[in-house]
Amino acid sequence: MEPLLQVKGLKTYFYTEDGVAKAVDGVNFEIGRERTLGVVGESGCGKSVTALSIMGLVRNPPGRIVAGEILFHRPDGILDLAKQDPRGTVMRTIRGNEIAMIFQEPMTSLNPVYTIGNQIVEAIMLHQKLKPKEAKQKAVEMLHAVSIANPERRVDSFPHELSGGMRQRAMVAMALSCNPRLLIADEPTTALDVTIQAQVIELMADLREKFHTSLMFITHDLGIVANIADDVAVMYLGKIVEQGAVQDIFHEPLHPYTLGLMNSIPAINARKGSRLVPIEGVVPSSYSIPPGCVFATRCPRAMEVCSRLVPELRKLSTDHRVACWLYDESMVGESA
């Protein structure tokens, strides 16, 4: 797999009056060219902060990248985004142009006092240097590409005049208007009903093929990941605990956290009267991360070593990696 983006040892911390919140604490992954990486995990696991770190949108203060590399493979060489000034010329050139992002709630991301067309045109004119008339025509073409009916009229609509699904499609159109090489989608279907969710997911998959774009899809819904992703990274409390090809994660999940997420999904062929099996407890605070394995306090298979030592992400097959002492032969037989 030829990488487009490599994240190595990324640590993003927030320094507040309550202490240091280790939102992302040593994350490693790759996104291949024209491939989709699904990043899954419960709320508060660091998925969105990872995306904001890539985009250079972590607000400083209180947050900042304290360690690690974000290597973006461009035609003219490899650039470490972690070392760039978030307000500098380089990041302003890349953000929205080579790397674009779709945020979770379009109503809070779109400016309510400007039309959809004005907001798309602004991005096009900034990065592609087109004249206003040409930029507006491209905005209409992008709205048509995301299947918005009557785009010539909708381009002059304000966000509140569109339904939730149409606003999200407009966000997709804006993100793809400059033909980015990487598109980051941060839970883009959370606020939508299931039928619109399916349409948006199908749309993004089609557009990825059409525009030859790589996709980082952040979600807590494993069902969505199964439909759209090529590779999966499972995050918990700022760390990746399992990663691999989508078929490996779904056919042979290894980490107890991944298994817990699987067991929490309603199954269409479940026996009558069967119950969902939730993961006991809650995600600990990123201000006070427990020692050892971050999942040990909730893990039904925790051993004594789990509360002392942090497991490394180890390779068990070609593309399948897991951070768990259960798969270290030297630890087999440890008492719980």
Side-chain angles (χ1 to χ4, degrees):
M1 179 179 70
E2 186 179 2
L4 175 66
L5 186 82
Q6 295 174 294
V7 175
K8 298 182 177 181
L10 178 64
K11 296 184 179 183
T12 303
Y13 295 173
F14 290 82
Y15 296 84
T16 72
E17 294 179 354
D18 297 323
V20 180
K22 299 179 179 180
V24 178
D25 196 22
V27 163
N28 299 274
F29 63 83
E30 291 186 2
I31 302 176
R33 297 182 188 273
E34 298 185 35
R35 291 180 68 86
T36 296
L37 172 69
V39 182
V40 298
E42 295 170 277
S43 297
C45 287
K47 307 184 299 297
S48 295
V49 176
T50 300
L52 294 174
S53 299
I54 294 171
M55 294 292 292
L57 292 176
V58 175
R59 184 174 294 179
N60 182 14
R64 68 173 184 266
I65 296 173
V66 299
E69 299 175 309
I70 305 172
L71 304 179
F72 184 43
H73 293 246
R74 309 172 79 193
D76 58 351
I78 301 174
L79 182 68
D80 186 357
L81 302 182
K83 291 182 171 57
Q84 303 304 313
D85 179 1
R87 297 181 177 85
T89 303
V90 174
M91 282 305 299
R92 286 180 179 272
T93 302
I94 292 173
R95 189 188 300 123
N97 185 30
E98 296 181 56
I99 305 177
M101 186 167 178
I102 303 170
F103 294 92
Q104 182 171 346
E105 176 46 65
M107 201 58 189
T108 59
S109 304
L110 295 168
N111 193 320
V113 300
Y114 289 97
T115 66
I116 295 296
N118 282 339
Q119 296 179 66
I120 299 176
V121 164
E122 181 183 17
I124 294 172
M125 291 180 64
L126 176 65
H127 294 295
Q128 299 197 355
K129 310 303 180 184
L130 297 181
K131 295 179 180 178
K133 187 175 181 180
E134 296 171 328
K136 185 169 183 179
Q137 181 56 41
K138 180 159 187 180
V140 171
E141 292 172 2
M142 290 307 305
L143 292 177
H144 178 74
V146 298
S147 302
I148 288 184
N150 197 0
E152 294 83 2
R153 178 185 171 192
R154 290 300 183 185
V155 75
D156 294 319
S157 297
F158 289 90
H160 70 271
E161 296 178 307
L162 305 180
S163 67
M166 291 177 71
R167 284 195 294 267
Q168 198 59 278
R169 287 170 185 268
M171 286 290 294
V172 175
M174 186 186 304
L176 291 174
S177 62
C178 296
N179 196 17
R181 302 174 66 219
L182 173 63
L183 176 63
I184 300 174
D186 186 6
E187 302 199 32
T189 60
T190 298
L192 306 177
D193 62 62
V194 290
T195 55
I196 302 299
Q197 280 186 22
Q199 293 173 13
V200 172
I201 291 166
E202 183 179 1
L203 170 69
M204 294 183 69
D206 291 342
L207 292 175
R208 188 197 73 169
E209 298 296 328
K210 180 178 179 180
F211 291 96
H212 306 290
T213 300
S214 298
L215 177 62
M216 178 179 175
F217 197 99
I218 298 171
T219 182
H220 57 264
D221 190 331
L222 283 168
I224 292 177
V225 169
N227 287 325
I228 198 171
D230 300 305
D231 309 291
V232 180
V234 182
M235 283 194 74
Y236 184 80
L237 201 56
K239 296 182 181 293
I240 291 178
V241 296
E242 185 170 1
Q243 62 183 185
V246 66
Q247 60 267 23
D248 291 337
I249 298 296
F250 278 86
H251 294 159
E252 193 181 358
L254 300 175
H255 198 280
Y257 179 60
T258 309
L259 289 165
L261 293 176
M262 297 284 192
N263 291 333
S264 300
I265 302 174
I268 195 168
N269 59 350
R271 297 193 311 272
K272 184 177 180 180
S274 62
R275 294 177 177 271
L276 296 179
V277 182
I279 301 174
E280 296 294 332
V282 296
V283 180
S285 169
S286 56
Y287 288 102
S288 56
I289 295 177
C293 173
V294 289
F295 189 61
T297 57
R298 303 174 69 191
C299 182
R301 302 181 64 186
M303 302 178 292
E304 189 273 335
V305 68
C306 300
S307 61
R308 293 189 291 106
L309 302 177
V310 179
E312 296 294 327
L313 199 63
R314 63 182 67 247
K315 181 185 290 188
L316 297 185
S317 63
T318 305
D319 296 313
H320 203 165
R321 293 174 170 83
V322 63
C324 183
W325 290 118
L326 291 170
Y327 303 95
D328 186 326
E329 293 182 0
S330 65
M331 296 298 173
V332 174
E334 285 272 345
S335 59

PDB file of all heavy atoms in Angstrom, residues 32-52:
ATOM      1  N   GLY A  32      -3.697   4.912   2.903  1.00  0.00           N
ATOM      2  CA  GLY A  32      -3.171   4.664   1.570  1.00  0.00           C
ATOM      3  C   GLY A  32      -3.836   5.541   0.522  1.00  0.00           C
ATOM      4  O   GLY A  32      -4.897   6.116   0.751  1.00  0.00           O
ATOM      5  N   ARG A  33      -3.208   5.634  -0.612  1.00  0.00           N
ATOM      6  CA  ARG A  33      -3.764   6.416  -1.716  1.00  0.00           C
ATOM      7  C   ARG A  33      -5.050   5.756  -2.226  1.00  0.00           C
ATOM      8  O   ARG A  33      -5.071   4.558  -2.495  1.00  0.00           O
ATOM      9  CB  ARG A  33      -2.749   6.534  -2.854  1.00  0.00           C
ATOM     10  CG  ARG A  33      -1.488   7.274  -2.449  1.00  0.00           C
ATOM     11  CD  ARG A  33      -0.523   7.410  -3.615  1.00  0.00           C
ATOM     12  NE  ARG A  33       0.755   7.958  -3.158  1.00  0.00           N
ATOM     13  CZ  ARG A  33       1.014   9.252  -3.065  1.00  0.00           C
ATOM     14  NH1 ARG A  33       0.093  10.127  -3.397  1.00  0.00           N
ATOM     15  NH2 ARG A  33       2.201   9.675  -2.647  1.00  0.00           N
ATOM     16  N   GLU A  34      -6.095   6.559  -2.321  1.00  0.00           N
ATOM     17  CA  GLU A  34      -7.411   6.134  -2.803  1.00  0.00           C
ATOM     18  C   GLU A  34      -7.995   4.998  -1.955  1.00  0.00           C
ATOM     19  O   GLU A  34      -8.727   4.144  -2.449  1.00  0.00           O
ATOM     20  CB  GLU A  34      -7.348   5.731  -4.278  1.00  0.00           C
ATOM     21  CG  GLU A  34      -6.937   6.863  -5.198  1.00  0.00           C
ATOM     22  CD  GLU A  34      -6.983   6.493  -6.663  1.00  0.00           C
ATOM     23  OE1 GLU A  34      -7.876   5.716  -7.054  1.00  0.00           O
ATOM     24  OE2 GLU A  34      -6.115   6.983  -7.417  1.00  0.00           O
ATOM     25  N   ARG A  35      -7.676   5.008  -0.654  1.00  0.00           N
ATOM     26  CA  ARG A  35      -8.242   4.038   0.275  1.00  0.00           C
ATOM     27  C   ARG A  35      -8.987   4.773   1.389  1.00  0.00           C
ATOM     28  O   ARG A  35      -8.777   5.971   1.621  1.00  0.00           O
ATOM     29  CB  ARG A  35      -7.163   3.127   0.881  1.00  0.00           C
ATOM     30  CG  ARG A  35      -6.550   2.174  -0.130  1.00  0.00           C
ATOM     31  CD  ARG A  35      -5.496   1.299   0.508  1.00  0.00           C
ATOM     32  NE  ARG A  35      -6.038   0.341   1.461  1.00  0.00           N
ATOM     33  CZ  ARG A  35      -6.515  -0.856   1.131  1.00  0.00           C
ATOM     34  NH1 ARG A  35      -6.551  -1.239  -0.130  1.00  0.00           N
ATOM     35  NH2 ARG A  35      -6.964  -1.673   2.067  1.00  0.00           N
ATOM     36  N   THR A  36      -9.845   4.030   2.085  1.00  0.00           N
ATOM     37  CA  THR A  36     -10.625   4.599   3.180  1.00  0.00           C
ATOM     38  C   THR A  36     -10.211   3.955   4.494  1.00  0.00           C
ATOM     39  O   THR A  36     -10.239   2.727   4.633  1.00  0.00           O
ATOM     40  CB  THR A  36     -12.129   4.378   2.954  1.00  0.00           C
ATOM     41  OG1 THR A  36     -12.534   5.074   1.781  1.00  0.00           O
ATOM     42  CG2 THR A  36     -12.933   4.907   4.139  1.00  0.00           C
ATOM     43  N   LEU A  37      -9.823   4.789   5.450  1.00  0.00           N
ATOM     44  CA  LEU A  37      -9.529   4.331   6.808  1.00  0.00           C
ATOM     45  C   LEU A  37     -10.704   4.687   7.698  1.00  0.00           C
ATOM     46  O   LEU A  37     -11.069   5.867   7.808  1.00  0.00           O
ATOM     47  CB  LEU A  37      -8.258   4.994   7.341  1.00  0.00           C
ATOM     48  CG  LEU A  37      -7.952   4.731   8.828  1.00  0.00           C
ATOM     49  CD1 LEU A  37      -7.557   3.274   9.038  1.00  0.00           C
ATOM     50  CD2 LEU A  37      -6.857   5.670   9.344  1.00  0.00           C
ATOM     51  N   GLY A  38     -11.309   3.698   8.331  1.00  0.00           N
ATOM     52  CA  GLY A  38     -12.356   3.943   9.303  1.00  0.00           C
ATOM     53  C   GLY A  38     -11.760   4.007  10.701  1.00  0.00           C
ATOM     54  O   GLY A  38     -11.051   3.088  11.114  1.00  0.00           O
ATOM     55  N   VAL A  39     -12.011   5.097  11.407  1.00  0.00           N
ATOM     56  CA  VAL A  39     -11.526   5.255  12.782  1.00  0.00           C
ATOM     57  C   VAL A  39     -12.731   5.164  13.702  1.00  0.00           C
ATOM     58  O   VAL A  39     -13.644   5.981  13.617  1.00  0.00           O
ATOM     59  CB  VAL A  39     -10.798   6.599  12.973  1.00  0.00           C
ATOM     60  CG1 VAL A  39     -10.263   6.721  14.398  1.00  0.00           C
ATOM     61  CG2 VAL A  39      -9.654   6.738  11.969  1.00  0.00           C
ATOM     62  N   VAL A  40     -12.754   4.142  14.567  1.00  0.00           N
ATOM     63  CA  VAL A  40     -13.936   3.889  15.398  1.00  0.00           C
ATOM     64  C   VAL A  40     -13.565   3.910  16.873  1.00  0.00           C
ATOM     65  O   VAL A  40     -12.417   3.705  17.259  1.00  0.00           O
ATOM     66  CB  VAL A  40     -14.593   2.534  15.046  1.00  0.00           C
ATOM     67  CG1 VAL A  40     -15.061   2.533  13.616  1.00  0.00           C
ATOM     68  CG2 VAL A  40     -13.636   1.378  15.282  1.00  0.00           C
ATOM     69  N   GLY A  41     -14.576   4.136  17.701  1.00  0.00           N
ATOM     70  CA  GLY A  41     -14.392   4.157  19.144  1.00  0.00           C
ATOM     71  C   GLY A  41     -15.494   4.971  19.790  1.00  0.00           C
ATOM     72  O   GLY A  41     -16.222   5.711  19.117  1.00  0.00           O
ATOM     73  N   GLU A  42     -15.627   4.828  21.092  1.00  0.00           N
ATOM     74  CA  GLU A  42     -16.652   5.571  21.831  1.00  0.00           C
ATOM     75  C   GLU A  42     -16.314   7.067  21.850  1.00  0.00           C
ATOM     76  O   GLU A  42     -15.198   7.476  21.560  1.00  0.00           O
ATOM     77  CB  GLU A  42     -16.729   5.052  23.270  1.00  0.00           C
ATOM     78  CG  GLU A  42     -17.208   3.617  23.395  1.00  0.00           C
ATOM     79  CD  GLU A  42     -17.019   3.095  24.807  1.00  0.00           C
ATOM     80  OE1 GLU A  42     -15.903   2.656  25.124  1.00  0.00           O
ATOM     81  OE2 GLU A  42     -17.989   3.125  25.580  1.00  0.00           O
ATOM     82  N   SER A  43     -17.295   7.868  22.215  1.00  0.00           N
ATOM     83  CA  SER A  43     -17.060   9.301  22.377  1.00  0.00           C
ATOM     84  C   SER A  43     -15.995   9.533  23.448  1.00  0.00           C
ATOM     85  O   SER A  43     -15.997   8.864  24.489  1.00  0.00           O
ATOM     86  CB  SER A  43     -18.361  10.009  22.780  1.00  0.00           C
ATOM     87  OG  SER A  43     -19.332   9.893  21.762  1.00  0.00           O
ATOM     88  N   GLY A  44     -15.108  10.471  23.194  1.00  0.00           N
ATOM     89  CA  GLY A  44     -14.052  10.774  24.159  1.00  0.00           C
ATOM     90  C   GLY A  44     -12.793   9.964  23.982  1.00  0.00           C
ATOM     91  O   GLY A  44     -11.905  10.010  24.840  1.00  0.00           O
ATOM     92  N   CYS A  45     -12.685   9.229  22.855  1.00  0.00           N
ATOM     93  CA  CYS A  45     -11.504   8.382  22.645  1.00  0.00           C
ATOM     94  C   CYS A  45     -10.393   9.068  21.859  1.00  0.00           C
ATOM     95  O   CYS A  45      -9.331   8.482  21.661  1.00  0.00           O
ATOM     96  CB  CYS A  45     -11.906   7.083  21.939  1.00  0.00           C
ATOM     97  SG  CYS A  45     -12.805   5.936  22.999  1.00  0.00           S
ATOM     98  N   GLY A  46     -10.629  10.285  21.380  1.00  0.00           N
ATOM     99  CA  GLY A  46      -9.580  11.027  20.696  1.00  0.00           C
ATOM    100  C   GLY A  46      -9.666  11.024  19.184  1.00  0.00           C
ATOM    101  O   GLY A  46      -8.753  11.512  18.511  1.00  0.00           O
ATOM    102  N   LYS A  47     -10.773  10.529  18.635  1.00  0.00           N
ATOM    103  CA  LYS A  47     -10.902  10.443  17.176  1.00  0.00           C
ATOM    104  C   LYS A  47     -10.898  11.826  16.527  1.00  0.00           C
ATOM    105  O   LYS A  47     -10.149  12.084  15.587  1.00  0.00           O
ATOM    106  CB  LYS A  47     -12.197   9.700  16.801  1.00  0.00           C
ATOM    107  CG  LYS A  47     -12.368   8.341  17.462  1.00  0.00           C
ATOM    108  CD  LYS A  47     -13.608   7.620  16.982  1.00  0.00           C
ATOM    109  CE  LYS A  47     -14.908   8.362  17.277  1.00  0.00           C
ATOM    110  NZ  LYS A  47     -15.163   8.538  18.716  1.00  0.00           N
ATOM    111  N   SER A  48     -11.751  12.718  17.033  1.00  0.00           N
ATOM    112  CA  SER A  48     -11.862  14.055  16.439  1.00  0.00           C
ATOM    113  C   SER A  48     -10.596  14.873  16.653  1.00  0.00           C
ATOM    114  O   SER A  48     -10.190  15.633  15.763  1.00  0.00           O
ATOM    115  CB  SER A  48     -13.071  14.794  17.018  1.00  0.00           C
ATOM    116  OG  SER A  48     -14.284  14.153  16.670  1.00  0.00           O
ATOM    117  N   VAL A  49      -9.961  14.741  17.810  1.00  0.00           N
ATOM    118  CA  VAL A  49      -8.734  15.498  18.069  1.00  0.00           C
ATOM    119  C   VAL A  49      -7.617  15.036  17.128  1.00  0.00           C
ATOM    120  O   VAL A  49      -6.791  15.835  16.684  1.00  0.00           O
ATOM    121  CB  VAL A  49      -8.305  15.363  19.544  1.00  0.00           C
ATOM    122  CG1 VAL A  49      -6.966  16.064  19.787  1.00  0.00           C
ATOM    123  CG2 VAL A  49      -9.359  15.959  20.461  1.00  0.00           C
ATOM    124  N   THR A  50      -7.602  13.741  16.794  1.00  0.00           N
ATOM    125  CA  THR A  50      -6.640  13.242  15.813  1.00  0.00           C
ATOM    126  C   THR A  50      -6.846  13.936  14.474  1.00  0.00           C
ATOM    127  O   THR A  50      -5.890  14.387  13.827  1.00  0.00           O
ATOM    128  CB  THR A  50      -6.782  11.719  15.641  1.00  0.00           C
ATOM    129  OG1 THR A  50      -6.553  11.072  16.899  1.00  0.00           O
ATOM    130  CG2 THR A  50      -5.793  11.186  14.629  1.00  0.00           C
ATOM    131  N   ALA A  51      -8.109  14.038  14.044  1.00  0.00           N
ATOM    132  CA  ALA A  51      -8.425  14.708  12.783  1.00  0.00           C
ATOM    133  C   ALA A  51      -8.050  16.186  12.829  1.00  0.00           C
ATOM    134  O   ALA A  51      -7.463  16.725  11.880  1.00  0.00           O
ATOM    135  CB  ALA A  51      -9.908  14.550  12.468  1.00  0.00           C
ATOM    136  N   LEU A  52      -8.372  16.858  13.924  1.00  0.00           N
ATOM    137  CA  LEU A  52      -8.039  18.284  14.056  1.00  0.00           C
ATOM    138  C   LEU A  52      -6.534  18.504  14.080  1.00  0.00           C
ATOM    139  O   LEU A  52      -6.041  19.531  13.586  1.00  0.00           O
ATOM    140  CB  LEU A  52      -8.679  18.850  15.324  1.00  0.00           C
ATOM    141  CG  LEU A  52     -10.216  18.902  15.338  1.00  0.00           C
ATOM    142  CD1 LEU A  52     -10.727  19.348  16.709  1.00  0.00           C
ATOM    143  CD2 LEU A  52     -10.739  19.846  14.258  1.00  0.00           C
TER     144      LEU A  52
END
